[in-house]
Amino acid sequence: MAVHKVYIEDFEESDYHIIAIHTSLEDYRLAYFLNRDLAVFLSKSDEDVHIQTKEGETFFARFTFDDQDNYILWDLVQNKNEVEGTENNAVQDLFSNSDNTFASSAYLLPEYKKVDFFLKIENAEKEIQIEEIVSKINKIDGVSMVYNIDLQKIKSKNNLIF
């Protein structure tokens, strides 16, 4: 009997683009400026992006726009969020009945910790010009840096499935 091997790389297609945005703007303000300058209609999604980390679980804010005319899906997702957890004191002392709460940072893509937001554009191979979009985003007041991310350099691609 012959053995057939199927490699995942044969089926893996990059049908999306990821644009990193460094900004001091709040998520709703950035979505407003992107709507104005890119002629899209990003709106707050009811379903945030859920990620489970070793510290706990967290949800990242998400703004979406489904361009049904061009079959393009736009997602603006924050990269950094706080995870709150509690730890019990194992030592019997004056504060043994109290639980300590701690907060740590969680990242959607941990290899890009300095990025504030990601703009994910799906199903847009020929319809849009990424360089033009990056140029328009870079002109927004409050945005300090914008660049396209090479999908081969992303280690945690599973976090981008939403």
Side-chain angles (χ1 to χ4, degrees), residues 88-150:
N88 295 328
N89 271 342
V91 180
Q92 295 291 333
D93 60 3
L94 181 62
F95 303 104
S96 63
N97 290 336
S98 65
D99 289 334
N100 293 333
T101 60
F102 63 91
S104 63
S105 297
Y107 299 93
L108 182 68
L109 296 180
E111 57 267 26
Y112 294 98
K113 290 185 178 181
K114 298 199 184 276
V115 175
D116 297 308
F117 294 94
F118 292 108
L119 182 63
K120 179 181 175 186
I121 306 170
E122 292 184 61
N123 302 325
E125 288 299 320
K126 296 180 177 80
E127 290 84 6
I128 61 171
Q129 298 294 326
I130 294 298
E131 295 82 19
E132 183 181 331
I133 291 174
V134 168
S135 174
K136 286 181 180 179
I137 295 172
N138 202 22
K139 292 178 184 174
I140 296 174
D141 288 335
V143 172
S144 57
M145 186 171 22
V146 180
Y147 50 91
N148 190 20
I149 294 180
D150 183 12

